[in-house]
Amino acid sequence: VALTRMVSAASIAAAVVLGVAAFLFPTPMPFLPWLIAAVCALVVIRHRSNIARTLAGTESRLGKKSE
């Protein structure tokens, strides 16, 4: 959020990092990294419209007055 002032960008970045980290650290349940990756994929899928607005330059930013 501090870099982009966009909450959606922070959510997507956190989901991607968590999805990768789930496979890097050992877990007693072998299905857990796949479950975490599926949830992270859902986060990214749910933010499709935010991604499109970000690429178009129309995504609202935190602390900016709405017009």
Side-chain angles (χ1 to χ4, degrees), residues 7-34:
V7 175
S8 61
S11 299
I12 294 166
V16 170
V17 169
L18 179 62
V20 171
F23 288 97
L24 296 178
F25 298 102
T27 177
M29 297 174 278
F31 67 89
L32 192 58
W34 294 104

Side-chain angles (χ1 to χ4, degrees), residues 13-62:
V16 170
V17 169
L18 179 62
V20 171
F23 288 97
L24 296 178
F25 298 102
T27 177
M29 297 174 278
F31 67 89
L32 192 58
W34 294 104
L35 179 63
I36 292 171
V39 171
C40 293
L42 286 175
V43 169
V44 174
I45 290 168
R46 295 281 299 168
H47 281 84
R48 284 186 320 241
S49 60
N50 299 71
I51 294 168
R53 285 194 302 270
T54 300
L55 293 174
T58 59
E59 178 70 7
S60 61
R61 294 179 181 266
L62 195 63

